[in-house]
Amino acid sequence: MQRRIPAWPAALTAALLVAGGGCRAEAPATRPAPTEVTAGAPADRAHAHAHAHDLHDADGAVPRRGPDKPRAPVDVQLAHRPLGGGAYEVTLSATPGRDVTVLDLVLDGKVVAAGPTRAGQVRTLTARVELGDGRGKQLAGSAIVEVGPHRRRAAAVTWLGPAPAAAEPPLTIVRLPDGTEAAEVRP
Amino acid sequence: MSRPRFAGRAWPRVAAAIALALAGCGGDDDGGSGDPDAAACELPAEGRCAGNVVERCQDGVLVTEDCTTTQATCTATPGAGTFVCLDACAAAGVTEAGTCTGDSVRRCEVVGGVRTVITQACAPGQVCEQPDGQAATCAADACAGIGPLGRCDGDRLVRCSGGAPATTDCAAGGQVCGYADAATGYACVAPGAAFVVTGTVSYEDRPPLTSGALGALAPAVARGTEVAVVLDQGGTVLATAHTSDDGSYTLRYDAAPGAMVHVMVTARSTVALRPIRVNRTQTQVHAFGGPSFAATASAVQDLLVTEASGLAQAWNILDQAVAAMDLLRLELGLTPVQLTARWARGSNTGTYYSGGTIYMLGSNSDDDGYDDTVILHEIGHFVEDRLGRSDSPGGSHDGSPTDPNLAWSEGFATYFAMAVRRRPHYMDSNAGGGWGYDADTSVTAAPTGTTIGGDVSEDMVSEILWDVGDGGSGDDDPVTSATHVDVLRVGTTYLRTATLRAIGESGADLVDFLDGWFVGDGLGTCAGVRDIVTTRRRFPYDYAGPAGACP
């Protein structure tokens, strides 16, 4: 279902809670439940050598899924738990898929350099976020790692507070002259 | 004005120039200087280059020839490998006035005291033009906004002919300007339909920034998109057309006078030159409808596909696909084949290519609908699959050294995106902002000690391809004479048809591209390619492919 995302409340306040003055190198003791989709690379790298001449199965019946787009070699997850009074503790977890010399965690406008991190090692950043007006808010977190001379970033989002009502626009199916169905949206 | 396309490289001229250069190589009157006091000459029989000076043995005596004195370049002849002073411009048949090669200007310039072939790609929106007897230059595309279907300005038909607009007054022949069909486009037609509606179609775009983040909303022309008049009651389609490249359309239709109708634009093109559809589901194409109006003799309806409608990204995907199709058709001379794209707001099944379809993320954390280079990257895989060759084993890839076939496929796809946009940037936005890099200025080296079949980064591949294909006076690498079309053509010709050399990793990879590059371009760029590939990036290509050994 499509979900319409309202603008962020301007009066939100956030407090970073970074364990030990920096990122924690382990998962939080009481792990909050993840609430939404994440984006990042899997920790392991498939390295199959079964070369196909194209991207189809041998029988040509079902196309084989090609590789995903270029990714950042870090898996990112966001989780949160309510603290009461419209406040939430939000935890960003970043797990590089390979050893990296640069790992920056970004959450609610704050950037923390976690530094060199081994593959599979979890780095976390926790923030306290308050919903001043009681409305829901989408929060994004991300992790940046170095890839050769470049930087790549993976991101995740979570929704804090009341979810907005689903507002999928009404669709009308119009049949085109060649028989194709057009899913028409009319504002 | 002429606008030549498909101009090939002129290797016969190279052979002639080399013959002339070799003819001047014998005897003491060749401009060289012998040193009678030198020890017995121990150079290879073919001689060698010492900087830009030819050194060779003649009757056991060292003879040198400073090529700079004639603005020539010390180089090896293809095949024989004899070192001579060669006028690179004469060898390529390139003059100071230059010539058009696709949408690039190829001219001769003196760089560092040496006559050098410089190829300058025209900026987006420009084409290479060369009026009779004049120098080749990049100029605004006079046909921009027209496209392959033409357009109507009232009852005047505007088509692109020979690189310039040509206008026909349909009314003078008792006709009107209208849309004939997907094969013809706009034409002078008989005045049959009772009503006409005209207007423009645009969509809200968020242009990618080089950081990877997206820019502010800005309207963009929806070119080549199907547009229809739909009867409100019952949803019957009364007429269809496609927008011209300026987004304009003209639709003539019949209906009961006063009947309520609306204009609907669909995210597809059924034109054979641009066979593209952007679907919401496997079978349903995205469509956006305008307000209702009463059928009347003449109406104007401008449509803006808004982001708020949840559909704007579909038209951005269509627009990227149009750009890619036009490059394949106009620059590479290929026949377009059907491309399907799948995107929907909320889609979180990944961004990837499979079986003629590109799938794009539309999730809150990562929506690729505005990510032009990500869209074109996936179209690059489509090009490999349908018009070239791919031996990618699949799997995850993140820029780290990986399987050579996978690195080649991904690096080529990223480079394809850059070549279509004529910009060296890859950008991928996400909820955290995104990331991007510049393939022209960055250097990703192969791992220390890697072998010719060893794992490499896809970023290294895309950087190499960009450096080989770019050019111009300010180029920061030594290959200045090639174009991106030359690079792409290796993928759609050599890699598609050749029996690949059994070296390194089996299947198409960077080694096979380099083999194909020298087969298509000759050995004239050996030194430049070696600088880009091996000196800067440590990739141990052997420079001994089917085109012969580089000196």
Side-chain angles (χ1 to χ4, degrees), chain A residues 2-5 36-39 41-42 44-56 63-73 98 138 140-142 147-157 168-169 171 173-178 180-187, chain B residues 226 235 237 262 264 268 280 283-285 287-292 308 311 345 349 351-355 364-366 368 374 377-378 385-386 390-403 405 410 426 428 430-432 434-435 437 442-444 455 458-459 463 505-506:
Chain A
Q2 176 181 320
R3 196 160 64 182
R4 192 176 296 279
I5 308 301
E36 233 205 48
V37 63
T38 63
D44 60 331
R45 175 168 66 88
H47 203 102
H49 282 257
H51 295 138
H53 190 70
D54 58 21
L55 292 169
H56 299 272
R64 184 168 63 83
R65 175 174 170 148
D68 275 350
K69 67 174 180 173
R71 309 290 295 269
R98 60 174 175 77
Q138 176 180 276
S142 63
V147 178
H150 310 140
R151 298 283 188 274
R152 292 190 181 194
R153 183 200 297 255
V157 296
E168 191 162 326
L171 286 175
I173 302 302
V174 176
R175 192 166 294 278
L176 295 163
D178 66 355
T180 299
E181 290 182 347
E184 185 188 37
V185 173
R186 295 184 69 189
Chain B
E226 185 183 51
V237 174
H262 68 274
M264 178 182 75
R268 71 171 189 172
R280 173 179 174 271
T283 58
Q284 292 177 346
V285 66
F288 179 90
S292 298
L311 300 181
R345 182 175 279 185
T349 56
T351 287
Y352 59 98
Y353 168 80
S354 180
N364 287 339
S365 62
D366 193 357
D368 288 329
V374 178
H377 171 100
E378 298 307 329
D385 180 34
R386 295 302 160 99
S390 174
D391 296 308
S392 173
S396 178
H397 55 97
D398 56 24
S400 308
T402 189
D403 176 276
N405 300 138
E410 297 301 330
Y426 182 81
D428 184 3
N430 57 37
W435 58 275
Y437 76 94
S442 55
V443 175
T444 301
D455 287 3
E458 65 189 91
D459 295 345
E463 290 167 10
E505 184 85 344
S506 63

Side-chain angles (χ1 to χ4, degrees), chain B residues 129-199:
Chain B
E129 293 179 344
Q130 187 166 28
D132 289 343
Q134 298 184 38
T137 57
C138 289
D141 185 358
C143 280
I146 299 175
L149 299 178
R151 71 164 181 247
C152 293
D153 285 342
D155 274 335
R156 287 175 302 172
L157 170 66
V158 183
R159 303 282 304 204
C160 184
S161 176
T167 301
T168 303
D169 184 359
C170 298
Q175 294 181 302
V176 296
C177 187
Y179 189 80
D181 53 47
T184 305
Y186 291 96
C188 291
V189 298
F195 307 126
V196 61
V197 56
T198 62

Side-chain angles (χ1 to χ4, degrees), chain B residues 275-279 281-282 317 325 337-342 353-359 382:
Chain B
I276 307 158
R277 57 179 170 245
V278 184
N279 278 7
T281 66
Q282 186 170 355
I317 293 169
M325 288 284 182
V337 294
Q338 179 69 49
L339 168 66
T340 300
R342 283 276 298 277
Y353 168 80
S354 180
T357 299
I358 63 169
Y359 296 82
F382 164 80

